[in-house]
């Protein structure tokens, strides 16, 4: 039986196992699915990492093509293989609050939930073909992932019929992987991938029995990544040519995105790059040319680099409040394809110095680190988002929020006190709660002046509420007998989060004095 880790990424997905004889992590390579990333690390080491491009294409008769097969057959880039059947960035759509509409293909609807599940299940089939019998499946997720997204992984694990399923933050996983060989270290991981920026500051301790314990000291995140950069490069090119997306058409636009991704990667090694392409269907010729300086200008105006600075400042602020200064951090590990961008590396080096910054496993450090979780006897963590109850105020005819646990609260924990609640309507026989997360989302506006130069507004952080229930159904916590009376306190509730990160509640009936629920499970905060 084998432990398997899947790092499901916006741009690329990595699958690793612990080899039974050596107990060392190994990244799996799958025929027709995997591409081989070849590059050079910051230390000059040659990199060869098999990754599965997070792409899925539906051919005729619902034949599904994944990963490298999509690119090798150039699916979605011609009239023969129209882009409407190509799915990319579905991981980001899966995690979003608002799902894009499903695509109707040959009588079947394909949405981000179904496509993501189909993608993982096909990879799972390939794992089984390699005579691997998984006993423990570990999924890695973004630091700022909301609970509904994490709950999807639990459900998927059940469908895959795995005895044990775990979920861990991507950047935290990378830190734990490093800490196995360096116990006692204070490590910051900056994971900048295709869809998100994640940071985790982790301290590890080895006790007298040589068991490892980890404490997550700080986290930060931003929902921006390499996929956005490809779009920005193409938008900048189209603007410079006085073209619109509609004018070039869907097929040409997809080809331009492919070129932009390749040029972005090449800029990690070259100061200036260009690529030409002729569309034999529209008889249009395109040449994208971009320099490092131009890319950095785009990243600055799009607030990409500012979000990185803000995330670094947030983590360092958290650490300082816990008694750790910036100089106490021993290693800064760079993970994810966007960390290969020179401008990104320069900012991080300016914070910590070149000697502390390491980039030697950009694509598989997260997946390998996830496999190290089993070696830790304890991982102290905290809540990344605040958790609140959304209540309907009959007087103002609007929702109000009552915070249960603030962001940064270490669990296990208990709410500050008992919360008294009323029924909304006279004669109501049960009280239900809509429990959710409060998180901050960054927004900015981009404009162009008369000379065509980009301008941008400052980043604005807006608080958003997301219900824990994926179906937006409230959680019933109390059956009332006799029925409740409007505008009269009827129940009192005390909330807890236990060491397993399960939300519990004790509910007392104020009218009868009866304990209706005694530390009952309300929701598992995965």
């Amino acid at each position: 039986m084998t432990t398997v880790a899947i790092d499901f990424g916006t741009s690329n997905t990595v699958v690793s196992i612990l080899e039974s004889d050596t107990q060392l992590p190994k990244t799996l390579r799958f025929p027709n699915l995997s591409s081989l990333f070849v590059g050079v690390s910051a230390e000059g080491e040659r990199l060869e990492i098999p990754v599965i491009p997070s792409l899925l294409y539906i051919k005729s008769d619902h034949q599904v093509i994944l990963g490298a097969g999509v690119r090798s057959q150039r699916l979605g880039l011609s009239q023969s293989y129209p882009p409407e059947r190509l799915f990319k960035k579905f991981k980001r759509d899966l995690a979003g609050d608002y799902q894009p509409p499903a695509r109707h293909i040959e009588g079947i609807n394909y949405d981000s939930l179904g496509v993501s599940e189909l993608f993982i299940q096909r990879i799972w089939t390939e794992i089984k073909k390699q005579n691997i019998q998984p006993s423990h499946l570990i999924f890695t997720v973004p630091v700022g992932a909301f609970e509904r997204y994490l709950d999807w992984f639990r459900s998927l694990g059940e469908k895959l019929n795995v005895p044990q399923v775990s979920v861990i933050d991507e950047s935290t996983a990378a830190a734990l992987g490093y800490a196995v060989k360096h116990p006692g270290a204070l490590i910051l991981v900056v994971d900048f991938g295709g869809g998100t920026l994640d940071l985790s500051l982790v301290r590890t301790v080895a006790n007298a029995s040589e068991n490892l314990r980890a404490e997550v000291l700080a986290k930060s995140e931003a929902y921006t990544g390499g996929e956005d950069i490809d779009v920005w490069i193409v938008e900048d090119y189209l603007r410079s040519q006085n073209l619109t997306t509609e004018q070039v058409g869907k097929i040409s636009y997809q080809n331009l995105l492919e070129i932009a991704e390749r040029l972005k990667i090449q800029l990690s090694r070259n100061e200036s790059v260009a690529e030409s392409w002729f569309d034999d269907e529209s008889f249009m010729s395109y040449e994208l040319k971009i320099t490092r300086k131009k890319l950095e200008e785009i990243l600055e105006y799009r607030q990409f680099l500012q979000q990185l600075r803000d995330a670094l400042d947030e983590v360092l602020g958290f650490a300082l409040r816990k008694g750790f200064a910036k100089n106490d951090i021993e290693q800064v590990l760079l993970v994810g394809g966007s960390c290969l961008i020179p401008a990104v590396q320069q900012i991080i080096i300016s914070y910590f110095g070149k000697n502390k910054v390491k980039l030697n496993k950009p694509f598989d450090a997260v997946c390998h680190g996830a496999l190290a979780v089993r070696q830790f006897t304890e991982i102290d963590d905290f809540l990344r988002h605040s958790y609140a109850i959304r209540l309907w105020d009959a007087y103002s005819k609007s929702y109000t929020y009552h915070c249960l646990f603030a962001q940064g609260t270490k669990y296990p924990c208990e709410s500050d006190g008992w919360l008294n609640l009323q029924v909304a309507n006279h004669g109501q026989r049960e009280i239900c709660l809509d429990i959710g997360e409060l998180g901050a989302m960054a927004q900015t506006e981009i404009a162009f002046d008369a000379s065509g130069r980009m301008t941008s507004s400052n980043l604005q952080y807006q608080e958003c509420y997301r219900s824990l229930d994926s179906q937006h159904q409230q959680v019933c916590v109390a059956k009332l007998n006799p029925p409740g009376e409007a505008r009269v306190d009827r129940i009192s509730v005390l909330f807890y989060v236990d060491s397993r990160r399960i939300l519990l509640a004790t509910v007392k009936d104020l009218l009868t004095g009866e304990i209706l629920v005694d530390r009952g499970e309300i929701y598992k905060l995965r």
Side-chain angles (χ1 to χ4, degrees), residues 213-217 378-382 410-412:
R213 174 179 167 273
E215 180 182 8
V216 182
L217 299 172
E378 186 179 354
I379 301 175
D380 292 340
D381 207 343
F382 60 84
K410 209 169 187 178
Y411 58 86

Side-chain angles (χ1 to χ4, degrees), residues 275-463:
E275 185 172 333
S276 299
W277 172 66
F278 180 76
D279 184 352
D280 55 7
E281 292 170 336
S282 66
F283 302 106
M284 292 286 292
S285 178
Y286 302 92
E287 184 187 31
L288 266 73
K289 184 176 181 179
I290 188 168
T291 64
R292 280 190 186 180
K293 183 178 179 181
K294 180 62 177 177
L295 177 59
E296 186 170 349
E297 177 187 318
I298 292 172
L299 299 182
E300 283 288 10
Y301 280 110
R302 294 287 184 171
Q303 302 286 320
F304 183 88
L305 299 179
Q306 186 57 47
Q307 289 190 64
L308 172 59
R309 297 185 190 99
D310 289 349
L312 288 167
D313 291 341
E314 183 182 22
V315 162
L316 293 175
F318 268 127
L320 192 60
R321 289 192 290 274
K322 294 183 178 181
F324 296 93
K326 182 170 67 174
N327 290 338
D328 295 328
I329 297 173
E330 298 172 32
Q331 294 287 337
V332 181
L333 308 182
L334 306 189
V335 177
S338 295
C339 277
L340 296 171
I341 297 172
V344 170
Q345 295 182 32
Q346 289 166 11
I347 287 176
I348 298 170
I349 289 172
S350 72
Y351 270 70
F352 303 99
K354 190 173 183 178
N355 291 334
K356 289 186 177 182
V357 178
K358 304 296 179 185
L359 175 65
N360 52 10
K361 296 179 68 175
F363 292 105
D364 54 4
V366 169
C367 208
H368 287 187
L371 295 169
V373 170
R374 55 198 291 275
Q375 300 184 47
F376 287 82
T377 57
E378 186 179 354
I379 301 175
D380 292 340
D381 207 343
F382 60 84
L383 301 176
R384 178 57 195 159
H385 299 129
S386 297
Y387 291 84
I389 300 176
R390 182 165 63 175
L391 303 170
W392 178 253
D393 189 327
Y395 295 102
S396 64
K397 304 295 182 182
S398 62
Y399 285 111
T400 61
Y401 300 95
H402 177 85
C403 185
L404 301 176
F405 301 100
Q407 173 191 1
T409 302
K410 209 169 187 178
Y411 58 86
C413 52
E414 181 179 301
S415 57
D416 291 338
W418 291 83
L419 174 65
N420 291 344
L421 298 172
Q422 305 173 0
V423 295
N425 304 298
H426 187 74
Q428 191 171 314
R429 293 184 175 275
E430 61 183 33
I431 291 182
C432 301
L433 298 179
D434 181 359
I435 301 174
E437 298 166 89
L438 293 172
M441 304 296 287
Q443 294 180 331
T444 187
E445 291 186 2
I446 304 296
F448 297 92
D449 62 19
S451 302
R453 292 175 299 188
M454 284 185 288
T455 61
S456 61
S457 61
N458 292 330
L459 280 173
Q460 303 292 324
Y461 289 90
Q462 246 182 359
E463 194 170 57

Side-chain angles (χ1 to χ4, degrees), residues 66-348:
L66 260 66
V70 175
R71 284 187 172 155
S72 64
Q73 299 180 46
R74 294 189 55 77
L75 302 178
L77 302 177
S78 68
Q79 292 288 356
S80 302
Y81 299 111
E84 291 80 7
R85 292 170 174 258
L86 173 65
F87 293 87
K88 57 194 301 187
K89 297 191 290 188
F90 42 87
K91 179 219 175 170
R92 177 179 277 188
D93 292 337
L94 175 69
D97 200 24
Y98 299 100
Q99 303 294 322
R103 299 187 210 172
H104 193 71
I105 301 175
E106 296 182 12
I108 295 180
N109 288 327
Y110 292 90
D111 59 11
S112 56
L113 289 167
V115 169
S116 297
E117 183 173 324
L118 183 58
F119 182 78
I120 297 295
Q121 285 183 332
R122 287 300 177 97
I123 292 174
W124 195 250
T125 300
E126 294 299 318
I127 292 173
K128 293 292 191 69
K129 285 182 180 178
Q130 296 195 9
N131 295 320
I132 296 170
Q133 297 299 321
S135 57
H136 185 188
L137 173 59
I138 304 171
F139 287 112
T140 64
V141 297
V143 160
F146 286 87
E147 299 296 347
R148 282 184 293 154
Y149 175 68
L150 307 185
D151 201 42
W152 179 83
F153 283 100
R154 178 179 65 169
S155 299
L156 179 58
E158 292 173 354
K159 291 179 182 179
L160 297 176
N161 197 28
V162 189
Q164 184 180 358
V165 178
S166 302
V167 178
I168 185 171
D169 297 336
E170 292 163 355
S171 51
T172 302
L176 297 182
Y178 180 86
V180 167
K181 296 182 179 179
H182 303 81
L186 182 63
I187 307 147
L188 174 65
V189 170
V190 181
D191 182 0
F192 219 159
T196 57
L197 162 67
D198 294 335
L199 287 81
S200 284
L201 181 64
V202 176
R203 179 178 64 167
T204 60
V205 178
N207 58 27
S209 58
E210 296 187 355
N211 291 323
L212 287 172
R213 174 179 167 273
E215 180 182 8
V216 182
L217 299 172
K219 297 180 184 180
S220 186
E221 85 288 333
Y223 285 90
T224 188
E227 295 280 350
D228 300 297
I229 300 173
D230 303 337
V231 173
W232 299 336
I233 291 173
V234 172
E235 288 180 352
D236 182 77
Y237 167 77
L238 294 177
R239 183 191 56 79
S240 70
Q241 301 298 311
N242 294 317
L243 293 171
T244 65
T245 305
E246 291 74 21
Q247 286 175 312
V248 300
K250 293 181 179 179
I251 292 174
S252 294
Y253 184 74
Q254 286 297 329
N255 276 283
L256 288 171
L257 285 175
E258 291 274 321
I259 293 172
E261 182 183 13
R262 289 195 292 271
L263 295 181
K264 176 189 67 180
I265 293 170
Q266 293 170 26
L267 280 176
S268 65
R269 302 184 299 272
N270 303 285
E271 290 290 338
S272 177
V273 292
E275 185 172 333
S276 299
W277 172 66
F278 180 76
D279 184 352
D280 55 7
E281 292 170 336
S282 66
F283 302 106
M284 292 286 292
S285 178
Y286 302 92
E287 184 187 31
L288 266 73
K289 184 176 181 179
I290 188 168
T291 64
R292 280 190 186 180
K293 183 178 179 181
K294 180 62 177 177
L295 177 59
E296 186 170 349
E297 177 187 318
I298 292 172
L299 299 182
E300 283 288 10
Y301 280 110
R302 294 287 184 171
Q303 302 286 320
F304 183 88
L305 299 179
Q306 186 57 47
Q307 289 190 64
L308 172 59
R309 297 185 190 99
D310 289 349
L312 288 167
D313 291 341
E314 183 182 22
V315 162
L316 293 175
F318 268 127
L320 192 60
R321 289 192 290 274
K322 294 183 178 181
F324 296 93
K326 182 170 67 174
N327 290 338
D328 295 328
I329 297 173
E330 298 172 32
Q331 294 287 337
V332 181
L333 308 182
L334 306 189
V335 177
S338 295
C339 277
L340 296 171
I341 297 172
V344 170
Q345 295 182 32
Q346 289 166 11
I347 287 176
I348 298 170

Side-chain angles (χ1 to χ4, degrees), residues 475-491:
V475 179
C476 180
V477 296
K479 303 285 186 180
L480 304 179
N481 186 22
E485 295 182 30
R487 295 187 290 278
V488 176
D489 287 348
R490 180 55 190 269
I491 64 169

